[in-house]
Amino acid sequence: MTTKLKAALAALLIAGSGALVTETAAAAPATTLQELVPQPAQLQPRPEITFTLTATAKIQLSTPDARQPAELLAGILRPSTGYALPITDTVQGDGIVLTSGADPKTGPEGYQLDVTPKQVVIRANTPAGHFNAVQTLRQLLPAKAEAKTKQQGPWQVPGASILDHPRYHHRGAMLDVSRHFFTPDQVKRYIDQIAAFKINYFHLHLSDDQGWRLEIKSWPELTKIGGSTEVGGRTGKLFYTQDQYKDLVAYAAARGITTIPEFDVPGHTNAAQASYAELNCDGKKRPLYTGTEVGFSSLCINKEITYKFVEDVIREVAAITPGPYLHIGGDEALSTPDADYQTFMNRALPLVKKYGKTTVGWHEFVKTTKDTSTIPQFWGTTTTDENVAAAAKRGNKVLMSPANRIYLDMKYDKNTKLGLDWAGLVEVKDSYSWNPGAYLKGVAEQNVRGVEAPLWTETIKTSQDIEYMAFPRLPVAAELGWAQASVHNWDRFAPRLGAQAPRWKVQGIGFYASPQVPWKK
Ligand code: IFG
């Protein structure tokens, strides 16, 4: 019954009987508890409790695990509330407490969050748990908490007891900085945006036919020449120095995110082959390429220098990548004969191990190895792939990125100006309507490592372009990666997704207002 109808009915009763009719209890107002994305595993509303963050509140830590998460939270709330929000090492008084001693059910990435009248108490047993709790607390506060300038309060958090933990370990976002180059600040903006949804892996696609984007000291022409242009022909110093890359890795880590750098080999290599003649079988440099075709390039499989090149790249990148993974690409090697592809992987994969890292690769590579520690990233548009199923059977964990579900560069519909449509048109509901744990034949829940949403940038040039394509489907990927399979239901999820809109507006995110979603004003 609508509130208006209730009021009319109450008025009628009063008019009719003359007796004072107590106002029918209005339905509990929708609070931010019903708006959380991703949805927590366990949430018990405590409607009798409301916490209000006040000017004297402190952020109180009882574990060093919480230091960086606390600083992240303070960095978000100090500008919008105007409060000092000092971070203290003693737990005492009003404010936000980050402590250890979480229920073991929270596992390595979960947390508990309990709202009391004077404190919001976060318990987690790891830094990851505290980072994830901070992202939830952000969403429990009013949307204006996201503002960069001082807003009027009150800064209320609805009463609740939350015990949360993710469905999958790997919840990823990929940004292709090769087709179009993005500055460190543009990359950091995207890192900020994915962190808000508990994404914990950031995959940087750093080389392709159109650009080599990371300085390799032993092969300086890779960026001097290979990093001098992009799709469409813009020229400049379109690459990251190693210091800039390290800064991006640290920026992501300060938000609980592990960076996975990708150097795509043996295909997608024109930028490298335009930089060094000796990397080409005919000893001639390739011209720089600013188009958007794929599959025409291949390293020269039978030349020794190819493997010196690959080893030098892996060595230098591994040395500045604290995370355990390197991505070697391996996709669309259409100009590399199968036998040569096998030869190449036989030599490249051990090099990743030699430098202490674990290989991630687009799923084609997995037919070349029996190493079950390697991670095939499935990007197909089918629901069967015998090589991936065979690998899963051997014990490889599959990272799910089906292009016709979660490629963020796919057009939403035929009117979408940006993006491509080779995998089909992918509306928001299409991105949601699949189960990563039962999508690929022979790849069951226990064979899935997680979900990653790639954004390829053939047609994407600005942060606004990134945000139009990533929102709202990136939060959808985050929901699929985090929320329990049991709550997978579009009719329940869509309103939660729609309730994020005020927050995104405050953050200046120009999202696609899909007609499929009830957007909150
Ligand atoms: N496939 C290519 C990408 C990019 C993409 C655009 C993979 C693994 C099409 N490879 O996706 O380089 O061009 O949607």
Side-chain angles (χ1 to χ4, degrees):
M1 187 166 27
T2 66
T3 316
K4 211 180 286 174
L5 187 58
K6 278 183 194 145
L9 187 60
L12 198 62
L13 285 172
I14 293 173
S17 65
L20 191 63
V21 175
T22 51
E23 181 54 45
T24 49
T31 71
T32 50
L33 293 176
Q34 283 78 38
E35 302 178 349
L36 295 172
V37 175
Q39 178 161 340
Q42 293 174 26
L43 183 154
Q44 177 62 47
R46 301 268 189 247
E48 73 283 4
I49 293 171
T50 297
F51 167 80
T52 303
L53 189 70
T54 62
T56 57
K58 296 184 181 67
I59 300 177
Q60 309 160 29
L61 315 183
S62 78
T63 160
D65 282 356
R67 169 63 59 182
Q68 274 198 318
E71 281 163 3
L72 180 62
L73 179 64
I76 291 159
L77 297 185
R78 284 172 181 156
S80 50
T81 60
Y83 296 162
L85 297 176
I87 297 174
T88 69
D89 291 334
T90 48
V91 175
Q92 189 248 335
D94 296 11
I96 299 162
V97 178
L98 293 93
T99 185
S100 49
D103 183 318
K105 275 195 301 190
T106 55
E109 298 179 72
Y111 62 90
Q112 286 176 272
L113 187 152
D114 289 286
V115 182
T116 72
K118 295 288 182 195
Q119 291 179 334
V120 172
V121 181
I122 288 168
R123 290 181 183 79
N125 298 330
T126 63
H130 284 288
F131 275 116
N132 290 321
V134 160
Q135 299 306 343
T136 295
L137 177 54
R138 262 174 101 168
Q139 292 192 11
L140 291 176
L141 283 156
K144 57 190 176 184
E146 301 296 335
K148 296 290 184 223
T149 55
K150 189 173 176 322
Q151 308 295 310
Q152 276 310 312
W155 302 101
Q156 294 185 324
V157 174
S161 283
I162 295 173
L163 190 155
D164 200 4
H165 47 80
R167 177 180 178 185
Y168 297 114
H169 165 63
H170 189 130
R171 295 143 348 247
M174 184 210 87
L175 183 62
D176 165 13
V177 295
S178 181
R179 276 46 182 272
H180 279 96
F181 176 68
F182 292 90
T183 65
D185 283 349
Q186 288 176 308
V187 176
K188 288 179 178 178
R189 179 178 169 92
Y190 194 46
I191 290 172
D192 283 340
Q193 291 167 347
I194 64 177
F197 293 95
K198 304 187 175 80
I199 295 288
N200 61 345
Y201 283 97
F202 182 51
H203 169 181
L204 260 181
H205 184 78
L206 286 158
S207 76
D208 212 299
D209 291 317
Q210 297 87 346
W212 187 282
R213 302 294 180 217
L214 176 59
E215 172 197 15
I216 302 293
K217 295 182 188 307
S218 50
W219 295 74
E221 303 296 291
L222 287 173
T223 41
K224 216 153 108 208
I225 298 174
S228 68
T229 185
E230 63 180 7
V231 168
R234 178 168 75 115
T235 57
K237 289 168 81 75
L238 308 183
F239 62 88
Y240 310 113
T241 65
Q242 291 199 359
D243 285 345
Q244 286 175 315
Y245 172 78
K246 285 190 278 191
D247 177 56
L248 287 174
V249 169
Y251 191 86
R255 285 149 184 81
I257 296 172
T258 300
T259 298
I260 302 178
E262 178 188 349
F263 290 91
D264 202 342
V265 287
H268 287 269
T269 50
N270 188 78
Q273 293 177 288
S275 306
Y276 286 95
E278 58 267 48
L279 287 180
N280 297 275
C281 283
D282 62 8
K284 292 193 186 78
K285 273 186 194 177
R286 289 294 171 275
L288 285 168
Y289 180 66
T290 60
T292 57
E293 293 303 312
V294 296
F296 60 86
S297 53
S298 170
L299 289 176
C300 187
I301 304 303
N302 303 316
K303 283 176 93 170
E304 252 334 283
I305 194 164
T306 294
Y307 303 96
K308 174 160 178 23
F309 163 70
V310 170
E311 177 157 4
D312 287 345
V313 170
I314 291 172
R315 174 174 43 75
E316 288 197 34
V317 175
I320 55 177
T321 298
Y325 303 107
L326 287 189
H327 199 301
I328 48 107
D331 63 307
E332 295 182 320
L334 310 180
S335 301
T336 313
D338 282 355
D340 284 356
Y341 186 84
Q342 180 71 54
T343 302
F344 178 83
M345 287 298 172
N346 288 348
R347 295 192 64 177
L349 296 178
L351 291 172
V352 177
K353 261 190 188 301
K354 176 178 177 182
Y355 291 96
K357 301 300 179 184
T358 296
T359 293
V360 189
W362 300 108
H363 68 261
E364 292 98 313
F365 89 94
V366 83
K367 63 178 176 280
T368 69
T369 178
K370 296 283 186 281
D371 179 345
T372 56
S373 75
T374 62
I375 298 165
Q377 181 169 7
F378 177 73
W379 64 282
T381 55
T382 63
T383 53
T384 57
D385 184 293
E386 58 186 30
N387 290 314
V388 175
K393 197 164 180 264
R394 292 194 296 270
N396 297 72
K397 299 296 181 201
V398 182
L399 180 56
M400 296 297 291
S401 297
N404 53 341
R405 294 290 180 177
I406 207 70
Y407 262 31
L408 303 181
D409 62 315
M410 287 304 115
K411 290 175 182 293
Y412 292 103
D413 64 20
K414 60 181 179 5
N415 304 320
T416 310
K417 291 182 180 44
L418 296 167
L420 304 174
D421 60 7
W422 66 269
L425 299 174
V426 182
E427 252 287 5
V428 179
K429 191 175 176 182
D430 301 319
S431 281
Y432 182 79
S433 305
W434 61 291
N435 175 356
Y439 186 77
L440 264 182
K441 189 165 165 294
V443 178
E445 183 76 3
Q446 71 274 15
N447 309 121
V448 172
R449 175 184 167 83
V451 176
E452 184 173 289
L455 177 55
W456 299 101
T457 60
E458 281 92 339
T459 64
I460 306 299
K461 297 177 187 154
T462 65
S463 288
Q464 289 67 34
D465 292 353
I466 289 175
E467 290 155 29
Y468 187 78
M469 302 305 272
F471 287 82
R473 290 175 299 188
L474 187 275
V476 169
E479 174 83 5
L480 290 173
W482 182 280
Q484 303 306 305
S486 56
V487 301
H488 190 267
N489 176 306
W490 172 257
D491 293 337
R492 292 212 193 93
F493 173 67
R496 287 195 290 114
L497 184 64
Q500 289 287 317
R503 213 163 282 277
W504 299 347
K505 284 183 186 135
V506 171
Q507 291 168 317
I509 293 173
F511 63 94
Y512 164 64
S514 169
Q516 298 176 332
V517 178
W519 295 106
K520 182 178 176 183
K521 290 286 164 274

